[in-house]
Amino acid sequence: MANQRVNRLRELMKRHDAEAFFVTNDVSRRYLSGFTGTSGYLVITMEEAILFTDFRYREQAPRQAAGFRVIEHGPDAAETIAATLKELGVTRLAFEQHDVSYADYTAYKDKFKIPLVPADKFVEQLRMVKDDEEIEQIRKACELVDRTFEHMLEVIRPGMTEKQVAIELEIFMRSQGADAPSFTTIVASGWRSSLPHGTASDKVLEKGDFVTLDFGAYMNGYCSDITRTIVLGEATDRHREIYQIVLEAQMLALERIKPGMTGKEADAIARDFIAKAGYGDCFGHGLGHGLGMEIHEEPRLSRTGSVVLVPGMVVTVEPGIYIPGFGGVRIEDDAVVTENGLSRLTRSDKQLLVLR
């Protein structure tokens, strides 16, 4: 699989007249090589794929990075890489412009002594479209968050703090196979549920609260991301109205999003529905984002999303309504773009649930 990804990268390099590509980003390195260590660099040419890493990974790197020549660098990695570039006869080196700081750029330029050419997200372009193996890994992470939500319905009760809910949620995910949460778990209750990124606080859950749970499982290098909102105690007419609008907007987007649309066009499906219901000013973030080895990837389903959706992309669909002083609702599913539209990967219940 890694070799196929390297070959796809080489095709992209050819189109941009890049004779060699320097990889510094951790996620790019793992995607291309399969190496999971915490330190390393790649140099890809049309003939060679090289992984540079240190003594700690002397045994691990050759086992994981199939098809790569592994070179153990010295105390100054740049010196070892520079010597190898000279050996290969590289005269121009493309690099990941979004990952390399100016300080690192000047250091590399000084050591390598060849022109460094900024490259615009070469690997990220490849990662937008997932292969079958990647989709299966994301599906497993989605199955876990579905199970976690069902577990939390048996656990959440008034009197718990948001932090206690988050801890229980994360313990369950880890006990069921997650390597880590995909991101900092959001538990926002009552008035705090109007905070789209209201990470868990010491606030106590009370009857009459919306409770928004936004969480994900990171497994085998891939992320899932789900949001469910419930009500504790008893739901008022206002709770039900807001929830139903968000639910219908989300279901409409899941039904109508299809390949060939831009992220902006996908976003408009839910945004226009919420605006017509009178809550347009209460939905300020994008409809969704790409999902994979990172929790936020391209494409973006937003008012500025210009990427055209194609089969194999995995995206979130997560409209919301947030009313300061009262609360908010967000409902989120992960889905893969197919030839015919979207296929949901998260499946847990999203009708309004009232826990008494």
Side-chain angles (χ1 to χ4, degrees), residues 3 10 33 41-45 47-53 61-62 65-72 80 83-85 87-88:
N3 286 341
R10 285 175 173 145
S33 71
Y41 308 87
L42 304 180
V43 170
I44 310 293
T45 70
E47 295 79 28
E48 289 250 29
I50 303 171
L51 165 63
F52 299 86
T53 190
F68 277 73
R69 173 157 64 110
V70 178
I71 296 177
E72 185 179 321
T80 305
T84 305
L85 292 171
E87 168 202 320
L88 295 173

Side-chain angles (χ1 to χ4, degrees), residues 250-264:
Q250 202 242 9
M251 295 295 287
L252 189 66
L254 287 168
E255 177 186 333
R256 293 188 180 176
I257 292 173
K258 59 185 179 181
M261 282 185 172
T262 62
K264 181 177 180 179

Side-chain angles (χ1 to χ4, degrees), residues 197-216:
H197 277 189
T199 54
S201 74
D202 291 321
K203 181 188 174 302
V204 174
L205 276 59
E206 303 175 57
K207 289 185 177 180
D209 280 354
F210 270 136
V211 182
T212 297
L213 307 174
D214 185 350
F215 60 98

Side-chain angles (χ1 to χ4, degrees), residues 242-253:
I242 296 167
Y243 192 95
Q244 191 61 29
I245 292 168
V246 174
L247 178 60
E248 290 182 19
Q250 202 242 9
M251 295 295 287
L252 189 66

